[in-house]
Amino acid sequence: MPSKSALRKTLLNARREHVQAQSSAIQALLFNRPPAPLAAKIGADAVIGLYHATPYEAPARGYARFFQEAGHTVALPHFAADDAAMQFRAHTDPYDDSDLVPGPYGLRQPGSDVEAVLPDVLFVPLVGFTADLDRLGQGGGHYDRWLAQHPGRIAIGLAWDAQLAETLPVEPHDIALDAVVTPTRIYGLD
């Protein structure tokens, strides 16, 4: 099996090519709201952790809008510094992102003065995934560490169909997802 870094490079290229091949009109229709079977499994008072997508990641802004309109607290990752542990802070403006500031890794994040919250359901970005719900991330281990420190949280990947891999190398610290949502399918929702 190829190394994680080799797989990451291959899957990042496949993801970029997949997204570039889609028209902006098609992209605008995707990931606007969670599929009904998934939304039905999320409690009315659940805090929802999302992410501010980079250009080729599955977009999460539509989910942020949907959950905020449904009355949920929405949160995004926050890093106090490059070497700091990932936290989540409230995200109050999923329409304009006026509450976000530049953060480490070139990400936009809520400011340090924003309330820290603890998500019950966490939607995570990924580079690759398997039908068995293994996840390959960017390589920093932030989500695996956060999930290990906060057991019992629901972790759901958002991905393009092109990110599906037959197998991925799994290490003891890698935490499997509870589900993965792509534009055409939900994996693992029991």
Side-chain angles (χ1 to χ4, degrees):
M1 175 173 295
S3 70
K4 279 188 174 182
S5 62
L7 276 170
R8 195 171 281 117
K9 183 176 180 179
T10 299
L11 289 166
L12 285 169
N13 284 335
R15 181 177 76 180
R16 179 181 36 78
E17 290 171 3
H18 177 78
V19 173
Q20 288 176 337
Q22 296 176 12
S23 71
S24 58
I26 294 296
Q27 286 184 37
L29 296 173
L30 303 174
F31 296 106
N32 279 318
R33 60 181 297 140
L38 175 61
K41 290 189 174 279
I42 296 174
D45 60 347
V47 174
I48 309 297
L50 289 155
Y51 58 94
H52 192 270
T54 60
Y56 301 115
E57 288 177 335
R61 181 180 285 200
Y63 279 37
R65 292 173 183 160
F66 172 86
F67 285 116
Q68 185 188 52
E69 288 173 5
H72 293 272
T73 297
V74 173
L76 295 180
H78 173 87
F79 295 92
D82 287 346
D83 59 350
M86 182 172 71
Q87 300 178 331
F88 283 84
R89 296 192 182 267
H91 176 37
T92 58
D93 185 11
Y95 288 90
D96 194 31
D97 293 340
S98 65
D99 62 329
L100 302 183
V101 299
Y105 312 110
L107 300 176
R108 304 231 346 121
Q109 65 181 21
S112 296
D113 58 337
V114 176
E115 173 190 11
V117 296
L118 191 61
D120 301 299
V121 179
L122 186 59
F123 289 89
V124 301
L126 50 85
V127 173
F129 71 97
T130 67
D132 292 331
L133 305 177
D134 293 324
R135 172 186 175 267
L136 180 66
Q138 290 285 354
H142 301 291
Y143 284 93
D144 287 321
R145 282 192 298 278
W146 192 92
L147 288 165
Q149 293 168 359
H150 301 91
R153 308 301 172 188
I154 298 169
I156 303 165
L158 295 181
W160 301 105
D161 293 295
Q163 293 175 262
L164 176 63
E166 189 172 315
T167 61
L168 291 171
V170 177
E171 298 178 62
H173 64 269
D174 292 329
I175 295 180
L177 300 169
D178 296 295
V180 174
V181 177
T182 73
T184 64
R185 188 163 174 197
I186 302 172
Y187 294 85
L189 188 61
D190 296 328

